[in-house]
Amino acid sequence: MAVVLDSTSRPRHPEKAHRPDTPAASKPPWIRVKAPHSRGYAETRTIVRAHGLHTVCEEAGCPNIGECWDKKHATFMVMGDTCTRACAFCNVKTGLPGALDSAEPARVALATSKLGLRHVVVTSVDRDDLDDGGAAHFAAIIRAIRAHCPATSIEVLTPDFLRKDGAASIVVAARPDVFNHNLETVPAKYLAVRPGARYYVSIRLLQQVKEIDATIFTKSGIMLGLGEQRHEVLQVMDDLRAADVDFLTIGQYLQPTRKHHPVERFVPPEEFKSYETIAYAKGFLMVSASPLTRSSHHAGDAFARLRAAREARSAR
């Protein structure tokens, strides 16, 4: 199978270019989605292109892009389109990123306004080359959106800021409504799936956010189908609850190319439902678990339910 190329005809994933192809399993019926072609999708794409922005919807090959963009729900990916990490599951381009664009916060805010977003999700590539991992850039984007769209709630999906002391405090000081950082998989799979990250660093990041500002909602997500065991998934839930994380998402891993980690198993919908029931029993305020669940899928509706769940719990 050919290696996926970027617009300059270079491999998107040079570190994977010479790996042998892994098996690509046929998707079950519950995974398949329609190709995007709606008017709303086209309008969203036009706005994103006009403001020179990247989206994780495109860069990571999200299966929900047609549904979300039809409703003009785009997830902005900031700080460029090139990641300093080389995770085995991810389709975002890897390599040495360029300099930060100081005008990007204003463009994100303007696009948020033009799309009419009541809830906006902003994520990024990993920027291990920056002293703060990009924390100040996240803060600038939050402030720009607040100034331009004061009624819009803001969710950030950040890197782990590994070895970037003080980065979490910079982002939290800008007061996003939701601070999301995904664990992605169980700790035993990190070396194969997420080699540049450390599981307990990610747990600690989420815990720090609550220590700095307990009013900010925290959120994390994992993928199933990477070879994890059930008891390991349950342990991840316990670790997240110990860090006082409010919202858990669980979705099916889908293999971007044959150079990426193979899908070990397609988890049936009823098993996702079982995990959802258990997660609620463990104390999460909000759980989204299904084969097509992704971090930013229906994020606005989920945020409204998350706030309602906190209010209901406080009223008891």
Side-chain angles (χ1 to χ4, degrees):
M1 179 176 178
V3 180
V4 176
L5 303 178
D6 65 18
S7 59
T8 58
S9 298
R10 292 177 297 186
R12 284 175 65 87
H13 311 286
E15 78 291 343
K16 298 178 177 70
H18 301 293
R19 291 182 183 176
D21 286 357
T22 56
S26 178
K27 295 183 180 70
W30 62 79
I31 288 292
R32 292 167 189 164
V33 294
K34 294 180 180 179
H37 59 267
S38 69
R39 179 177 177 180
Y41 172 87
E43 290 174 351
T44 300
R45 183 174 57 186
T46 297
I47 291 171
V48 168
R49 298 285 187 275
H51 292 83
L53 298 172
H54 301 288
T55 69
V56 74
C57 323
E58 295 174 290
E59 298 297 334
C62 180
N64 302 313
I65 187 170
E67 176 192 353
C68 292
W69 281 30
D70 180 55
K71 301 173 183 175
K72 298 187 177 178
H73 294 172
T75 297
F76 300 118
M77 190 178 79
V78 300
M79 294 191 271
D81 66 348
T82 304
C83 187
T84 55
R85 304 274 176 97
C87 295
F89 67 88
C90 185
N91 200 38
V92 174
K93 186 166 60 174
T94 58
L96 182 64
L100 290 181
D101 180 356
S102 61
E104 186 173 52
R107 296 203 311 276
V108 170
L110 186 57
T112 299
S113 176
K114 287 192 174 182
L115 288 168
L117 296 176
R118 291 177 298 172
H119 182 85
V120 61
V121 182
V122 180
T123 189
S124 78
V125 292
D126 278 287
R127 290 299 303 257
D128 296 309
D129 57 312
L130 301 174
D131 290 341
D132 67 352
H137 199 73
F138 265 109
I141 288 168
I142 294 167
R143 290 192 295 268
I145 295 171
R146 289 269 185 253
H148 208 79
C149 310
T152 299
S153 50
I154 303 171
E155 179 173 332
V156 293
L157 171 53
T158 77
D160 58 13
F161 299 124
L162 185 63
R163 291 184 284 275
K164 310 294 182 182
D165 292 342
S169 298
I170 293 171
V171 179
V172 172
R175 294 191 54 79
D177 296 282
V178 182
F179 189 110
N180 185 1
H181 171 65
N182 286 334
L183 295 180
E184 308 294 6
T185 188
V186 300
K189 302 300 296 183
Y190 261 51
L191 187 60
V193 174
R194 202 177 172 217
R198 302 293 181 269
Y199 177 79
Y200 287 106
V201 168
S202 290
I203 291 286
R204 178 59 184 147
L205 172 65
L206 291 160
Q207 186 179 46
Q208 281 182 303
V209 173
K210 283 293 191 183
E211 290 173 353
I212 299 166
D213 188 342
T215 67
I216 293 176
F217 290 102
T218 49
K219 178 177 176 181
S220 189
I222 60 170
M223 301 172 289
L224 302 184
L226 286 159
E228 70 289 330
Q229 300 297 312
R230 184 176 177 83
H231 72 274
E232 294 175 311
V233 175
L234 301 184
Q235 184 61 58
V236 168
M237 292 183 190
D238 289 337
D239 292 343
L240 288 171
R241 286 304 301 134
D244 201 21
V245 170
D246 301 297
F247 188 172
L248 173 65
T249 61
I250 309 175
Q252 170 71 53
Y253 166 63
L254 298 176
Q255 183 180 1
T257 75
R258 290 194 178 187
K259 299 299 182 183
H260 288 77
H261 195 291
V263 176
E264 301 290 347
R265 175 173 172 251
F266 285 107
V267 179
E270 57 270 21
E271 196 165 328
F272 280 96
K273 184 63 178 178
S274 172
Y275 280 128
E276 178 184 294
T277 300
I278 293 169
Y280 273 122
K282 288 180 179 291
F284 289 97
L285 282 176
M286 182 75 192
V287 183
S288 179
S290 75
L292 290 175
T293 289
R294 297 296 183 267
S295 289
S296 56
H297 194 209
H298 301 308
D301 292 340
F303 176 65
R305 289 157 55 199
L306 187 61
R307 285 192 300 186
R310 174 183 280 178
E311 290 167 2
R313 183 173 292 183
S314 299
R316 292 175 190 168

